[in-house]
């Protein structure tokens, strides 16, 4: 029997509503500036140009399961003075493929969750301004807290659901999934032309306008109608 030369890494498992089983995370893809209002506040033209993507690690240092009805304590990351929240609908794939059609994309979805794309905005902008990759601004430890996954058939009309983020009880982001520039199905189809998608992949679908900085002690609550909310406290 072949053994690894160092201990193998654990697979991150996200809880699934109605079962004790876990959803195994493979890759984490994110869509940039997929709401017109957020594109404008980031200084970009919100026209319907092809979507662009970046990634976060799929390991336990980045993806943090957030249990329902509990406050997840999230460490404030190093080397930043401008940590931003971005509340997003996370799409969990149960079937993979390449060059998936828009019409068939929904059949690849296992379920949905609420997630935060935490961002070291100062580091992201520093890299952006010199034409370098965003990884240090987006792909740091504990940058992707994700709540309970709800199966697609139990999530209701997710494509028209409300999405909201509150900081210390004050609403900062409020929109609807229908306001996505590229719908969930269109995003899956486009992403599958660049990568062969697989079961276990997650897609952060984009965040509405209203992003902003948070500090230690702030409590963030993210909601998408029909899904389990996520609550995080920065420590």
């Amino acid at each position: 029997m072949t053994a690894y030369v160092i201990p193998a890494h654990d697979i991150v498992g996200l809880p699934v509503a109605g079962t004790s089983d876990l959803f195994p995370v493979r890759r984490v893809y994110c869509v940039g500036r997929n709401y017109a209002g957020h594109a404008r506040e980031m200084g970009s033209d919100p026209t319907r140009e092809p979507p662009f993507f970046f990634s976060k690690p799929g390991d336990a240092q980045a993806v943090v399961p957030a249990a329902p009805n509990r406050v997840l304590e999230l460490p404030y990351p190093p080397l930043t003075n401008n940590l931003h929240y971005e509340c997003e609908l996370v799409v969990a794939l149960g079937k993979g493929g390449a060059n998936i059609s828009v019409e068939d994309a929904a059949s690849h979805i296992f379920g949905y969750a609420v997630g935060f794309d935490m961002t070291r905005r100062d580091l992201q902008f520093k890299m952006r301004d010199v034409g370098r990759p965003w990884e240090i601004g987006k792909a740091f430890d504990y940058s992707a807290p994700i709540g309970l996954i709800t199966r697609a058939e139990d999530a209701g009309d997710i494509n028209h659901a409300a999405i909201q983020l509150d900081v210390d009880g004050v609403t900062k982001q409020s929109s609807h999934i229908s306001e996505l520039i590229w719908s969930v199905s269109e995003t899956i189809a486009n992403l599958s032309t660049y990568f062969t998608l697989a079961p276990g992949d997650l897609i952060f679908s984009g965040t509405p306008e209203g992003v902003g900085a948070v500090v230690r002690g702030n409590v963030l609550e993210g909601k998408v109608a029909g899904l389990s909310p996520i609550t995080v406290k920065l420590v």
Side-chain angles (χ1 to χ4, degrees):
M1 182 177 178
T2 302
Y4 293 106
V5 296
I6 60 173
H9 308 297
D10 292 334
I11 295 175
V12 178
L14 296 175
V16 178
T19 178
S20 60
D21 296 332
L22 300 174
F23 179 90
V25 176
R26 177 178 176 265
R27 293 179 178 175
V28 181
Y29 300 100
C30 304
V31 190
R33 298 170 191 163
N34 203 19
Y35 284 83
H38 178 57
R40 282 191 288 266
E41 72 182 357
M42 291 293 103
S44 296
D45 184 349
T47 56
R48 195 172 150 91
E49 296 178 349
F52 71 93
F53 304 96
F54 58 93
S55 295
K56 290 178 179 278
D59 61 36
Q61 286 298 105
V63 177
V64 190
N69 303 315
R70 295 184 64 182
V71 177
L72 171 66
E73 292 193 344
L74 198 70
Y76 192 96
L79 301 177
T80 182
N81 293 306
N82 195 18
L83 179 68
H84 278 214
Y85 54 79
E86 295 189 7
C87 184
E88 308 199 12
L89 172 69
V90 179
V91 183
L93 298 186
K95 186 172 70 172
N99 298 308
I100 299 167
S101 69
V102 173
E103 294 74 20
D104 189 43
S107 71
H108 291 69
I109 299 171
F110 173 83
Y112 304 96
V114 184
F116 293 157
D117 169 16
M118 302 304 293
T119 303
R120 294 192 286 198
R121 192 72 73 197
D122 44 359
L123 299 186
Q124 180 197 15
F125 283 176
K126 182 179 179 180
M127 295 298 102
R128 182 197 66 180
D129 292 345
V130 294
R132 294 177 181 171
W134 290 1
E135 270 78 2
I136 64 169
K138 288 286 190 178
F140 52 92
D141 293 349
Y142 312 111
S143 61
I146 300 174
L148 185 74
I149 293 178
T150 298
R151 294 175 185 271
E153 58 267 29
D154 299 325
D157 186 10
I158 199 70
N159 291 309
H160 294 87
I163 181 171
Q164 179 178 319
L165 179 136
D166 297 344
V167 178
D168 294 339
V170 178
T171 298
K172 300 293 185 178
Q173 291 184 284
S174 181
S175 188
H176 291 80
I177 305 302
S178 59
E179 295 298 314
L180 287 168
I181 296 173
W182 293 91
S183 71
V184 169
S185 289
E186 290 170 331
T187 296
I188 293 170
N190 192 282
L191 182 61
S192 74
T193 66
Y194 294 100
F195 305 95
T196 298
L197 303 178
D201 287 346
L202 300 175
I203 303 172
F204 279 70
S205 60
T207 195
E209 65 273 19
V211 301
V214 283
V215 298
R216 289 182 178 88
N218 284 155
V219 176
L220 287 62
E221 183 177 17
K223 309 171 193 175
V224 173
L227 305 182
S228 178
I230 175 176
T231 304
V232 164
K233 181 177 181 179
L234 292 169
V235 296

